[in-house]
Amino acid sequence: PFSPKTRGSGHSATTFDDVAGIDSSVQELHEIVSYLKDPRSFHAIGARPPRGILLHGPPGCGKTHLARAIAGETERSGSSQLGGSTIDCFAVCSGSEFVETYVGRGAARVRTLFRNVREEALRNFAARQKSSAKAAGRGSFCRSILGFPGPVRRHSGEWEGVDMPMAILFIDEIDALAKSRNSSSILSSVGGCDEREQTLNQLLTELDGFETGSTTSQVNVIVIAATNRPEVLDPAILRPGRFDRHVKVDFPDARGREAILKVHARRIRLDSRSVDFSSLPSLEGFSGADLKNVINDAALQAVRTSSPAVNQSHLVDAVRKLRRTRGRPYY
Ligand code: ATP
């Protein structure tokens, strides 16, 4: 049975402190984090909450890492205690999990995915509200969860103090699921087109607003998708109200590369007398994932040579090795 990796709130160790070298992408994502931390102030003003964010850029530059950091930031704020919100479910899946041969199977998977995410968010939300009510010494916390009506205005026009269930769904390789219907593909010539189209249509339905009136429709699902090939996506999924925020996550520049090395070097023992990241051989074209590899490789070498800490020569060797094994860097 199809079951995406989901988890409840309070478990993402990654925050924006762990993301470096892609400051402009992080900057663009601050708005979504402010919304997640305090959705009520957005709703109170009548602003349309963000629903879908598309992260695009070359492999290994931090798209998945950023999605985790968004969830982690929301949790770190401890905002539920401050009257804000927190993530009740963070689910991760890949677009390739929806590619099916039989017509209707992919669409059913998309439906199941969204249903599972909403149900899990509702369950965690209920548990969270119950425990915060207990902590506050209140008998009951708000309206019954099953009849949760979503945020409502008081007579005074003030926003009523109910939190709302929130979920983040991260879909990696969204292009596998949402390729343009016009794009030439071998599938179109063998009758796979109907299946692909139904799957895509189901995704569009889910993004648009779903089973109104049901309890789970009250869950606020923010979908973050990632792709290396934004140009092949069906324009329908990029329309306003769907994936209408596009954030480029690109290769870091020289300063960014150094900052990423420092982030990953935090978890290893460095020989601070010899290490100088700025004088390593050229790291031009290295992604965040490559730089993480450099640090890891250098640490392994330190262990192999029984050194008490990672020194500059371990790092230099690790850079050279990565260049040798990978050949030319990506561009
Ligand atoms: P793909 O397109 O192949 O899925 P991606 O863009 O999603 O790649 P990630 O999976 O986020 O890349 O990156 C792999 C790992 O590299 C991350 O888990 C993280 O540890 C590290 N990394 C990548 N970019 C950064 C960054 N900007 N800052 C810190 N670490 C990074």
Side-chain angles (χ1 to χ4, degrees):
F2 178 60
S3 138
K5 280 174 256 154
T6 61
R7 60 157 184 70
S9 55
H11 304 289
S12 181
T14 309
T15 67
F16 285 152
D17 291 345
D18 304 304
V19 181
I22 44 174
D23 298 350
S24 61
S25 315
V26 171
Q27 202 52 44
E28 286 187 62
L29 292 167
H30 269 300
E31 186 199 8
I32 188 90
V33 172
S34 335
Y35 169 73
L36 291 167
K37 283 182 178 174
D38 184 14
R40 270 178 279 152
S41 50
F42 277 65
H43 288 279
I45 229 164
R48 183 168 61 81
R51 173 152 304 153
I53 301 153
L54 181 72
L55 306 177
H56 61 97
C61 287
K63 299 181 289 299
T64 312
H65 198 49
L66 267 176
R68 291 193 185 283
I70 292 171
E73 278 296 322
T74 314
E75 286 160 8
R76 173 163 80 164
S77 70
S79 47
S80 52
Q81 280 119 35
L82 302 173
S85 186
T86 191
I87 296 300
D88 296 299
C89 174
F90 179 60
V92 179
C93 66
S94 166
S96 55
E97 292 170 55
F98 302 88
V99 179
E100 287 281 345
T101 326
Y102 296 107
V103 177
R105 281 273 284 274
R109 282 183 165 221
V110 171
R111 237 185 341 266
T112 308
L113 168 69
F114 276 82
R115 195 192 325 116
N116 288 352
V117 167
R118 290 194 195 103
E119 285 176 358
E120 173 145 344
L122 259 186
R123 265 195 305 277
N124 291 326
F125 175 75
R128 183 160 64 81
Q129 292 287 4
K130 216 170 180 175
S131 67
S132 63
K134 235 186 201 164
R138 281 182 275 139
S140 68
F141 56 94
C142 67
R143 304 156 191 275
S144 120
I145 290 301
L146 289 175
F148 180 68
V152 286
R153 282 181 189 285
R154 282 200 192 125
H155 295 310
S156 62
E158 209 183 307
W159 204 250
E160 187 159 351
V162 285
D163 191 355
M164 64 177 80
M166 301 260 259
I168 293 182
L169 169 58
F170 178 66
I171 309 179
D172 204 1
E173 297 177 49
I174 185 86
D175 44 286
L177 162 62
K179 222 174 266 166
S180 166
R181 284 172 268 208
N182 298 325
S183 70
S184 66
S185 153
I186 192 158
L187 282 178
S188 33
S189 57
V190 294
C193 229
D194 279 353
E195 158 58 14
R196 229 178 45 178
E197 198 155 335
Q198 280 194 20
T199 310
L200 176 55
N201 283 337
Q202 187 60 42
L203 176 67
L204 297 178
T205 308
E206 300 289 350
L207 288 170
D208 283 349
F210 26 84
E211 347 146 34
T212 32
S214 81
T215 316
T216 49
S217 69
Q218 304 295 345
V219 180
N220 211 343
V221 185
I222 310 273
V223 187
I224 304 176
T227 182
N228 303 323
R229 304 193 302 154
E231 69 286 353
V232 306
L233 295 178
D234 196 290
I237 77 154
L238 305 176
R239 273 195 214 129
R242 293 172 181 167
F243 290 104
D244 51 6
R245 313 279 165 103
H246 303 170
V247 178
K248 174 118 201 216
V249 185
D250 215 342
F251 285 108
D253 60 12
R255 262 181 57 190
R257 291 192 290 268
E258 207 175 313
I260 295 175
L261 286 172
K262 283 182 183 154
V263 161
H264 290 286
R266 287 195 304 228
R267 63 186 169 79
I268 60 165
R269 192 179 306 147
L270 277 186
D271 171 12
S272 53
R273 285 164 310 157
S274 74
V275 169
D276 176 9
F277 291 130
S278 63
S279 64
L280 285 173
S282 170
L283 299 166
E284 184 82 33
F286 276 42
S287 66
D290 293 330
L291 296 161
K292 179 183 182 178
N293 248 339
V294 165
I295 295 290
N296 201 44
D297 251 40
L300 290 176
Q301 278 205 51
V303 173
R304 247 180 263 129
T305 54
S306 307
S307 309
V310 171
N311 61 35
Q312 187 75 354
S313 84
H314 297 135
L315 287 162
V316 170
D317 286 352
V319 173
R320 292 198 178 126
K321 183 178 151 207
L322 194 70
R323 282 219 174 273
R324 252 195 332 270
T325 53
R326 208 192 47 191
R328 273 166 35 79
Y330 307 109
Y331 278 107

